[in-house]
Amino acid sequence: MAQWTSAMGSTQLARLLTSQQSRPVGSAGRRPPAYRALADGIRLLVLEGRVPVAARLPAERELAQALSVSRTTVAAAYEALRGEGFLESRRGAGSWTAVPAGNPLPARGLEPLPPEALGSMIDLGTAALPAPEPWLTRAVQGALEELAPYAHTHGDYPAGLPALRAMIAERYTAHGIATMPEQIMVTTGAMGAIDAICHLFAGRGERVAVESPSYANILQLMREAGLRLVPVAMADALTGWDLDRWRQVLREAAPRLAYVVADFHNPTGALADEGQRRALVDAARSAGTVLVVDETMTELHFDPDHAMPRRVCAFDPGGSTVITVGSASKAFWAGMRIGWVRAAPDVIRSLVAARAYADLGTPVLEQLAVNWLLSTGGWEEAVQLRRDQARENRDALVAAVRRELPSWEFDVPDGGLTLWVKAGGLSGSRLAEVGERVGVRVPSGPRFGVDGAFEGYVRLPFTVGGAVAHEAATRLAAAVRLVSEGRVTGGDVPRTLIA
């Protein structure tokens, strides 16, 4: 019986392999043999999760034709992968991907590092900061004081607690966007909100336009929902969206949905200006596309003297085009799994009705905690602490990377939690793999792209500062040396480089 659960076509695998940048020539001017380079490329695709574990690979002859190499090269690469535990084969069943015993299964999203690994690993994989105390403790205590009346009910509030819906609506109204509580649904984080929107508006096979790059976990959520991702490149530097490209995609592809992050985009940190926001809403309305706007980074602006652009939904007064998603996770704490959707009342009613077949509702105690923060002024003070910490971390990380890795290129954003870095011509996938082995965890660029894009990038979040930021950059520099010198294939990293 075959042990594979999916199949990878030769054309698809060749496209993923050719998206990887070639390994730079080492100091001695030597390049790895062709079979070794091919084996390394497939192994990295497996470790990245872009080729699933237990995926049947193409026959040697088919892949050789797709790559324009000899069959001997493919056969030698497959044999090397079998020897390293990344490939299994059976006569009559073909060859399929695997991971060696003791290796964690790769994930395509950005999963948090297990707490037990934090002592030995600097985690730059997740863009999330510790809770801004004492506000978390105060919010939970305030929630407990308000819990008694709700404890006498069934506890299921599919649209969210009325008090919290009203408070969120009031905040939009304060920003000049008239909003009723009937336009708000409280969700279990922003991911829960976007998952619900995708299921309501887009069936399997439907097109969804996404920024390129975009947030890795949302891209994977959409892939698993069977949606067809249509990438739209961001504008240069941190200048937001390329409106000409957006108009072309919306006109020609006619996507059912479009997902964008207007404020301190994840991963680039770009901030779309008001003209871009208005133009994108107009283009989406003309194309009949629903624009899903992720506002999870909106409050993380670092310059108090710079006025933020109006929210995207301000340019859709009729409410027919824009659906807004917000969350407490980035601005307050990722452990507070409270998100929300702002949309037209009929959309909210449809989302609430569909929720009966998903999670029924969001935990009451956490809703009460966020409501306490919003109603007492604690939210503003906690978010200011978050801004100060993120800005200090950004400055420390930028200084450390510029000192230790001067060939790396990036623009410094004025807010958010992420730095998008062009890694000096090196493979982001290789840097991510070797980084974990020298004690620093970073996500590579392809996690944020479609079909292997952004191989030359990594994302660095503002989650560490001070001496830890310096040590993270030092470990990344060690990973760069190993990759640049061609000293890493499938073996161990020299222990002298792991301080």
Side-chain angles (χ1 to χ4, degrees):
M1 179 179 176
Q3 300 299 305
W4 49 273
T5 57
S6 62
M8 176 70 59
S10 59
T11 302
Q12 182 182 11
L13 181 57
R15 184 172 67 249
L16 291 173
L17 287 166
T18 54
S19 73
Q20 297 176 331
Q21 294 181 356
S22 300
R23 174 183 295 186
V25 178
S27 56
R30 294 189 300 270
R31 292 186 182 274
Y35 86 89
R36 182 69 260 173
L38 176 55
D40 285 352
I42 294 174
R43 175 171 53 83
L44 285 167
L45 290 173
V46 173
L47 290 172
E48 271 287 303
R50 287 185 283 155
V51 171
V53 175
R56 186 179 186 274
L57 295 187
E60 295 170 2
R61 187 185 305 276
E62 293 175 4
L63 186 57
Q65 291 176 346
L67 292 172
S68 298
V69 300
S70 70
R71 183 177 177 181
T72 302
T73 297
V74 177
Y78 279 13
E79 183 60 34
L81 289 168
R82 277 190 287 268
E84 295 166 6
F86 286 93
L87 197 68
E88 296 181 9
S89 303
R90 179 174 300 168
R91 185 178 297 276
S95 299
W96 57 91
T97 55
V99 291
N103 279 38
L105 288 174
R108 297 187 183 183
L110 302 178
E111 72 287 356
L113 189 69
E116 62 270 16
L118 291 175
S120 59
M121 183 76 68
I122 298 176
D123 184 15
L124 299 181
T126 304
L129 290 164
E133 289 288 23
W135 294 105
L136 174 62
T137 298
R138 293 179 182 176
V140 173
Q141 290 172 341
L144 288 172
E145 293 174 0
E146 300 292 331
L147 181 61
Y150 297 93
H152 294 292
T153 73
H154 49 63
D156 288 336
Y157 295 87
L161 295 184
L164 181 55
R165 296 175 72 195
M167 184 59 63
I168 294 170
E170 182 179 314
R171 290 178 65 83
Y172 278 103
T173 300
H175 283 289
I177 307 161
T179 304
M180 304 179 294
E182 292 79 8
Q183 291 178 261
I184 302 295
M185 181 177 83
V186 180
T187 63
T188 307
M191 291 286 289
I194 294 170
D195 182 59
I197 293 166
C198 287
H199 279 90
L200 179 64
F201 282 92
R204 297 187 69 86
E206 293 265 16
R207 294 186 181 93
V208 177
V210 295
E211 297 152 323
S212 183
S214 187
Y215 179 37
N217 286 340
I218 295 298
L219 294 181
Q220 187 58 19
L221 181 155
M222 292 177 175
R223 290 188 189 103
E224 293 182 358
L227 303 180
R228 297 167 59 189
L229 303 182
V230 182
V232 186
M234 296 289 290
D236 293 336
L238 298 179
T239 54
W241 300 315
D242 185 327
L243 267 300
D244 288 338
R245 292 181 181 178
W246 269 105
R247 291 188 186 99
Q248 180 182 3
V249 167
L250 293 175
R251 181 177 62 252
E252 296 178 358
R256 185 71 184 91
L257 293 175
Y259 168 76
V260 296
V261 184
D263 302 312
F264 310 117
H265 173 260
N266 186 356
T268 68
L271 177 66
D273 62 33
E274 285 200 4
Q276 291 174 323
R277 296 169 191 234
R278 183 190 302 276
L280 185 57
V281 171
D282 290 344
R285 183 182 297 114
S286 297
T289 298
V290 176
L291 195 60
V292 181
V293 181
D294 185 333
E295 289 188 343
T296 53
M297 296 283 191
T298 295
E299 302 214 43
L300 295 178
H301 50 88
F302 299 158
D303 185 355
D305 297 325
H306 183 269
M308 286 289 290
R310 283 180 289 172
R311 307 287 179 93
V312 177
C313 56
F315 302 100
D316 181 38
S320 61
T321 300
V322 176
I323 297 178
T324 304
V325 172
S327 171
S329 296
K330 300 299 185 184
F332 186 75
W333 184 45
M336 189 71 76
R337 305 305 306 160
I338 298 295
W340 53 86
V341 177
R342 181 199 180 274
D346 61 318
V347 172
I348 294 297
R349 287 193 294 270
S350 296
L351 288 169
V352 171
R355 193 173 193 177
Y357 307 101
D359 63 355
L360 292 179
T362 303
V364 169
L365 188 62
E366 293 183 20
Q367 292 188 71
L368 289 172
V370 172
N371 189 62
W372 183 90
L373 287 165
L374 293 174
S375 60
T376 62
W379 178 267
E380 282 71 21
E381 296 201 35
V383 169
Q384 188 57 53
L385 287 176
R386 172 66 75 242
R387 293 187 191 118
D388 293 342
Q389 183 181 12
R391 182 176 57 249
E392 291 173 6
N393 287 355
R394 179 203 62 182
D395 294 344
L397 187 64
V398 165
V401 171
R402 284 176 171 165
R403 180 171 55 249
E404 299 295 327
L405 296 155
S407 67
W408 284 19
E409 301 173 39
F410 53 85
D411 295 295
V412 181
D414 292 327
L417 288 172
T418 58
L419 195 67
W420 185 237
V421 180
K422 192 173 185 179
L426 297 179
S427 161
S429 297
R430 287 189 169 91
L431 288 171
E433 179 201 5
V434 178
E436 291 215 25
R437 295 155 71 180
V438 299
V440 59
R441 182 172 182 263
V442 295
S444 66
R447 289 177 178 260
F448 304 88
V450 177
D451 289 337
F454 306 109
E455 181 60 55
Y457 290 79
V458 293
R459 189 195 73 173
L460 305 180
F462 312 143
T463 52
V464 297
V468 180
H470 178 265
E471 178 61 22
T474 300
R475 296 185 187 187
L476 283 171
V480 165
R481 289 196 297 273
L482 288 169
V483 174
S484 298
E485 295 168 5
R487 294 165 57 190
V488 178
T489 55
D492 292 332
V493 173
R495 298 302 299 176
T496 55
L497 292 179
I498 307 177

